[in-house]
């Protein structure tokens, strides 16, 4: 029979790896809580229009990466390609703007993009992200950047660099656009097919195209920096000062852009040169126009998302225990009454908060002990017919090989007392 395999670009995370994933997620959660972010869980599918409107029709995600399908009634639905759109929808839908305090959320979970799978680029991947709503203050930008930076450093990721840019306001970009377009038209033959199209649809995106010839062609393009208002300059300087105050190093990168109207001012990305081609670990920015664009009240907002697969590739093994957890108590019940007594003992121990397992295929003491060894059990509880007749079990320490008798009538207490040092 043909074996059904997982979909291309989608990965199983097996028990040998889940401890690493838990470690990454727990580190991120811990830091987010320290910063006052609260967890939000939003659906993994939404109306297609939500993503089309929030991410923007002329982006790679909406143009070619979304998993979109028709529901039975014909409604167009999409598996979420990122977490901001759903979080903003929930913020609006639940009237969170009416709350007197800033609303700071974090989320984690799978995202879906139809991309060419390669190391660090999957079709189902996982992000951890935060969104900070309500504060139009440069310290809010510095705060989310600091959070991202501290999480990544706490995870000991190598060769990290923070790049940052100022996108200015919608008006700043409107005054810059004609000069950029005019310039791009003069180098049009040197641009990739995508960028030739972007000249009219999303000219800013030409600046961050990864194709080498596009980068060369835009080397002497006019810089947005020269078109920024005094206000935008001041705001960005204050963000940089915040980072200086927190001793977070950064590099300015004028190519870091997001070509959508609701992005403004701060945009940033953290990369690791240890990753090779897919080197972005996390990215984010300010998006003051988005809540309003989706029908909510005007709300300043800033956030980031980081890619957990890329982080998992970089986390040093020594930081967490990658081995599957050792079993605490292995229960070896065998023989005509020992088998049933073993099954009850498992339940008794577990209900007493003592982790216990058995291999129901083993029918002899020898077979049980072999499995206890394979599972690296700390203790084995031996229950043969003779023990059951005497109302006892034998608790064997698998490391020291010492054995103690425990009473079946007070099994939990006796076992607890003996395993206490473990
Ligand atoms: P890239 O330039 O690598 O395509 P992006 O700009 O599309 O990244 P964002 O939308 O900013 O990425 O998502 C934030 C982070 O999520 C990225 O920095 C990356 O770590 C991770 N990420 C994005 N797409 C994928 C993917 N297909 N597989 C694995 N991780 C991803
Ligand atoms: Mg991408």
């Amino acid at each position: 029979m043909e074996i059904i395999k997982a979909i291309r670009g989608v990965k199983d995370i097996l028990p040998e790896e889940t401890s690493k994933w838990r470690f990454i997620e727990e580190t991120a959660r811990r830091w987010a809580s320290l910063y006052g972010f609260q967890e939000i869980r939003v659906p993994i599918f939404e109306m297609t229009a939500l993503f089309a409107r929030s991410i923007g029709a002329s982006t790679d995600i909406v143009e070619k990466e979304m998993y979109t399908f028709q529901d039975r009634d014909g409604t167009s639905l999409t598996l979420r390609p990122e977490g901001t759109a759903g979080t903003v929808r929930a913020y609006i839908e639940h009237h969170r703007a009416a709350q007197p305090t800033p609303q700071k959320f974090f989320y984690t979970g799978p995202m879906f993009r139809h991309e060419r799978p390669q190391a660090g680029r999957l079709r189902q991947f996982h992000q951890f992200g935060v969104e900070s709503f309500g504060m139009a203050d440069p310290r809010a930008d510095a705060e989310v950047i600091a959070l991202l930076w501290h999480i990544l450093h706490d995870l000991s990721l190598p060769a990290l660099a923070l790049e940052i840019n100022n996108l200015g306001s919608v008006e700043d970009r409107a005054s810059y656009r004609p000069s950029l377009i005019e310039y791009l038209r003069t180098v049009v033959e040197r641009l990739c097919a995508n960028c030739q199209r972007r000249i009219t649809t999303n000219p800013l995106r030409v600046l961050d195209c990864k194709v080498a010839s596009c980068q060369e062609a835009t080397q002497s393009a006019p810089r947005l920096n020269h078109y920024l208002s005094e206000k935008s300059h001041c705001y960005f300087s204050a963000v940089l000062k915040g980072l200086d105050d927190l001793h977070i190093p950064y590099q300015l990168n004028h190519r870091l852009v997001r070509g959508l109207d609701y992005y403004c001012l701060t945009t940033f990305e953290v990369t690791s040169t240890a990753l090779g081609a897919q080197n972005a670990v996390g990215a984010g920015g300010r998006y003051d126009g988005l809540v309003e664009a989706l029908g909510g009240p005007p709300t300043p907002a800033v956030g980031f998302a980081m890619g957990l697969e890329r982080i998992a590739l970089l986390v040093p093994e020594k930081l967490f225990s990658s081995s599957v957890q050792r079993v605490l108590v292995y229960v070896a019940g065998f023989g005509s009454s020992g088998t049933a007594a073993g099954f009850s003992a498992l339940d008794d121990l577990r209900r007493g908060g003592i982790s216990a397992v058995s291999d129901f295929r083993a029918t002899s003491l020898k077979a049980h002990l072999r499995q206890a060894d394979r599972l690296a059990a700390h203790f084995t509880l031996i229950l043969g017919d003779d023990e059951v007749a005497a109302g006892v079990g034998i608790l064997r320490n698998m490391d020291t090989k010492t054995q103690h008798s425990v009473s079946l009538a007070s099994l939990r207490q006796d076992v607890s007392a003996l395993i206490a040092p473990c």
Side-chain angles (χ1 to χ4, degrees):
M1 206 191 349
E2 198 191 329
I3 295 168
I4 300 169
K5 296 204 172 139
I7 299 165
R8 200 165 115 79
V10 163
K11 257 173 71 175
D12 300 307
I13 303 172
L14 298 172
E16 289 77 6
E17 265 194 296
T18 44
S19 55
K20 182 201 278 196
W21 278 78
R22 262 203 316 277
F23 173 72
I24 295 168
E25 286 157 359
E26 279 162 13
T27 303
R29 278 169 185 278
R30 185 162 45 75
W31 277 98
S33 302
L34 283 172
Y35 276 66
F37 286 83
Q38 292 186 307
E39 184 173 9
I40 185 166
R41 299 190 187 201
V42 293
I44 62 165
F45 63 155
E46 302 266 4
M47 299 285 197
T48 302
L50 174 70
F51 300 114
R53 253 205 264 167
S54 66
I55 300 168
S58 59
T59 55
D60 284 353
I61 295 181
V62 174
E63 274 182 349
K64 49 185 197 232
E65 295 175 0
M66 293 208 302
Y67 278 99
T68 296
F69 59 97
Q70 275 200 351
D71 204 352
R72 284 163 198 270
D73 66 359
T75 317
S76 181
L77 304 178
T78 293
L79 298 185
R80 64 180 185 192
E82 51 91 62
T84 303
T87 307
V88 170
R89 181 205 42 73
Y91 175 86
I92 297 167
E93 195 166 332
H94 302 286
H95 310 290
R96 305 296 291 202
Q99 301 278 328
T101 51
Q103 299 288 295
K104 290 164 48 175
F105 303 117
F106 76 83
Y107 61 82
T108 185
M111 306 294 161
F112 306 85
R113 296 185 195 175
H114 193 277
E115 305 199 66
R116 201 163 61 80
Q118 48 200 293
R121 190 176 292 292
L122 291 132
R123 291 184 173 173
Q124 174 174 332
F125 62 101
H126 299 77
Q127 286 185 338
F128 181 96
V130 308
E131 316 292 354
S132 170
F133 294 104
M135 293 185 281
D137 188 297
R139 285 169 296 180
D141 307 51
E143 182 178 61
V144 298
I145 295 172
L147 172 56
L148 175 61
W149 192 248
H150 288 313
I151 293 171
L152 299 177
H153 273 267
D154 201 13
L155 291 166
S156 299
L157 300 202
L160 291 176
L162 166 65
E163 297 187 351
I164 187 165
N165 190 25
N166 186 359
L167 288 183
S169 64
V170 178
E171 296 76 34
D172 296 341
R173 291 199 300 276
S175 68
Y176 168 60
R177 214 178 128 107
S179 337
L180 177 63
I181 293 178
E182 195 183 329
Y183 174 87
L184 294 175
R185 293 229 158 94
T186 66
V187 294
V188 63
E189 311 84 47
R190 294 159 66 194
L191 301 178
C192 72
N194 257 339
C195 283
Q196 294 188 349
R197 213 162 25 86
R198 284 179 182 139
I199 294 180
T200 41
T201 59
N202 203 340
L204 248 76
R205 286 307 292 261
V206 178
L207 298 176
D208 79 345
C209 180
K210 302 287 181 287
V211 177
S213 61
C214 294
Q215 296 220 343
E216 277 158 33
T218 52
Q219 205 67 265
S220 42
R223 299 269 175 104
L224 170 58
N225 195 31
H226 300 131
Y227 294 77
L228 298 175
S229 67
E230 189 55 29
K231 200 170 153 218
S232 301
H233 271 303
C234 284
Y235 190 95
F236 192 63
S237 301
V239 175
L240 298 184
K241 178 174 181 307
L243 295 176
D244 291 337
D245 290 345
L246 302 175
H247 308 291
I248 295 174
Y250 51 80
Q251 290 150 22
L252 300 177
N253 177 358
H254 72 94
R255 288 186 181 275
L256 207 60
V257 295
R258 296 177 175 242
L260 298 173
D261 281 354
Y262 56 80
Y263 280 113
C264 60
L265 299 163
T266 318
T267 181
F268 57 91
E269 188 168 85
V270 176
T271 57
S272 168
T273 45
L275 271 175
Q278 317 312 325
N279 68 358
V281 182
R286 180 160 279 282
Y287 53 94
D288 289 348
L290 181 57
V291 178
E292 208 175 354
L294 291 177
T299 308
V302 58
F304 71 73
M306 59 189 208
L308 301 189
E309 275 75 9
R310 294 184 196 176
I311 292 172
L313 288 171
L314 294 173
V315 174
E317 293 284 326
K318 64 175 189 315
L319 284 190
F320 57 92
S321 146
S322 61
S323 53
V324 176
Q325 280 243 306
R326 280 187 74 176
V327 160
L328 185 56
V329 179
Y330 180 94
V331 176
F334 55 99
S336 56
S337 49
T339 303
F343 194 56
S344 304
L346 275 173
D347 184 55
D348 194 1
L349 292 174
R350 290 164 177 168
R351 292 207 287 158
I354 300 165
S355 130
V357 302
S358 189
D359 185 336
F360 301 132
R361 297 167 306 178
T363 52
S364 68
L365 179 58
K366 195 169 155 219
H368 273 305
L369 288 175
R370 191 167 49 228
Q371 293 310 74
D373 273 334
R374 285 185 176 147
L375 290 165
H378 285 285
F379 296 91
T380 299
L381 177 66
I382 299 168
L383 285 167
D385 291 345
D386 294 348
E387 285 78 24
V388 175
V392 297
I394 293 164
L395 192 70
R396 177 181 169 92
N397 183 320
M398 301 297 283
D399 298 327
T400 63
K401 312 291 181 217
T402 50
Q403 300 196 155
H404 288 92
S405 183
V406 290
S407 161
L408 288 182
S410 53
L411 186 66
R412 290 181 198 172
Q413 293 83 338
D414 290 11
V415 170
S416 285
L418 289 164
I419 66 174
C422 268

